[in-house]
Amino acid sequence: MADGPGRIAGLIQGLYQLEGAPRVDFRRPAGEPALAAPDSVSWRVFKNPVALFVGGVSAVILELAEPRVRTGVWEHSSFRTDPLPRLKRTGLAAMVTVYGARSTAEAMIAGVRRMHDRVAGDTPAGAAYQANDVELLDWVQATASFGFLEAYHAYVRPLSAADRDRFYAEAAPAAALYGALGAPASVAGWETHLAAMLPRLERHGIVLEFLALMRKTAILPAPLRGLQGALIRAAVAITPAEVRAVVGLGAEWDLGPVEGRLLRLVGAAADRLPIQGAPPVEACLRMGLPGDYLYS
């Protein structure tokens, strides 16, 4: 039987591989750069599973507050009926975008764009949407950058103002490939973007349905599943207060101080723990760097 750390490592690796799909080899082609550099803020942030979980949930809360994005996601995906494979696909896409060799990332993103070409319709209120609409892509990119950055900053390690701006700017090459041509390139850009979008956001039961699914779906490995509720509350905690008010996430969703301290301890520990076989470690090896390059 594998030891505790080895078993957890194997389970975490499994989060990045899809059943029945070809394995993505982050070690190949040897020496080929990713869309972001190894010394980027992005490579530091995305290696942390706490930042990924918390940031991803917060980003989806923001996305689902926008009616066109909400309708497109809820009516054209299997999230409601089988959320775990969808979550794995999203997580793998993030890993390939940040750590995959540029040719691998470009091919994957082109495939996502082709799939999005088929996602179109009307919201219940009659507003037309198309998944590859630049305005919607900009919002999805903006919310993802915000969520992952704020989760790392709050629960792993505080980042300087310069590093926070760098994180947004580093996303530009991937954002352009996805078609998000007006995504924010700085913290100030995010704040301006949020202010412009806020009047279009609205309350809807699907936000609560999403959070309920996140609570009941066995996403984390069994030894860590007790943290799942706290991670979801942590995601709500970093969601901008004005958006929480719009979507109706009140004090009942607040993160307790003890939970917050525990998550920061877990986040800081995970930031120093390379997982053999995980995309960040494999990408470092592809670039001729030590496997623990991002963790020292």
Side-chain angles (χ1 to χ4, degrees):
M1 179 181 291
D3 59 14
R7 180 168 174 264
I8 291 175
L11 291 168
I12 289 176
Q13 289 167 23
L15 293 175
Y16 300 121
Q17 300 302 333
L18 304 178
E19 235 176 276
R23 182 181 180 276
V24 177
D25 190 348
F26 288 87
R27 286 206 197 191
R28 298 285 182 272
E32 184 176 325
L35 293 170
D39 63 354
S40 64
V41 181
S42 301
W43 274 43
R44 277 190 274 154
V45 167
F46 278 86
K47 77 177 187 297
N48 192 284
V50 171
L52 289 181
F53 190 108
V54 173
V57 172
S58 184
V60 174
I61 292 169
L62 288 160
E63 290 165 18
L64 294 179
E66 207 290 332
R68 294 166 296 170
V69 176
R70 180 175 62 245
T71 306
V73 169
W74 226 240
E75 293 188 357
H76 294 271
S77 80
S78 60
F79 195 94
R80 282 176 293 181
T81 56
D82 200 9
L84 190 55
R86 170 61 189 262
L87 291 169
K88 284 189 174 187
R89 284 195 299 272
T90 302
L92 180 60
M95 291 294 103
V96 173
T97 300
V98 175
Y99 296 111
R102 181 181 293 267
S103 59
T104 303
E106 288 174 344
M108 181 207 71
I109 293 169
V112 171
R113 296 270 294 162
R114 288 192 296 272
M115 284 191 296
H116 283 173
D117 280 335
R118 302 192 293 270
V119 177
D122 296 293
T123 69
Y129 64 87
Q130 209 286 325
N132 278 332
D133 179 274
V134 173
E135 182 184 22
L136 302 187
L137 291 168
D138 287 348
W139 179 238
V140 170
Q141 176 63 41
T143 60
S145 291
F146 168 82
F148 295 130
L149 176 65
E150 291 305 312
Y152 190 90
H153 182 70
Y155 302 112
V156 181
R157 182 181 299 174
L159 294 168
S160 68
D163 276 350
R164 287 157 65 84
D165 282 342
R166 275 182 61 201
F167 182 81
Y168 279 100
E170 288 165 1
L177 289 172
Y178 277 108
L181 304 178
S186 65
V187 172
W190 156 253
E191 292 170 349
T192 299
H193 199 103
L194 175 61
M197 291 295 293
L198 197 59
R200 307 179 193 190
L201 307 184
E202 63 181 28
R203 183 174 303 199
H204 198 285
I206 282 176
V207 173
L208 295 178
E209 188 179 345
F210 161 70
L211 292 173
L213 277 170
M214 294 299 292
R215 275 176 159 171
K216 73 179 185 182
T217 302
I219 299 167
L220 297 180
L224 306 176
R225 205 160 292 151
L227 291 174
Q228 198 159 307
L231 289 165
I232 293 165
R233 287 187 289 278
V236 175
I238 64 168
T239 301
E242 56 267 55
V243 178
R244 282 188 65 173
V246 168
V247 300
L249 297 175
E252 70 275 13
W253 288 95
D254 286 350
L255 182 70
V258 174
E259 289 180 319
R261 286 194 292 273
L262 174 60
L263 289 186
R264 289 181 188 96
L265 287 172
V266 173
D271 221 44
R272 299 188 297 270
L273 181 66
I275 302 294
Q276 297 305 312
V281 172
E282 297 286 277
C284 286
L285 296 173
R286 184 183 79 247
M287 297 306 298
L289 299 167
D292 63 355
Y293 170 77
L294 295 170
Y295 299 85
S296 55

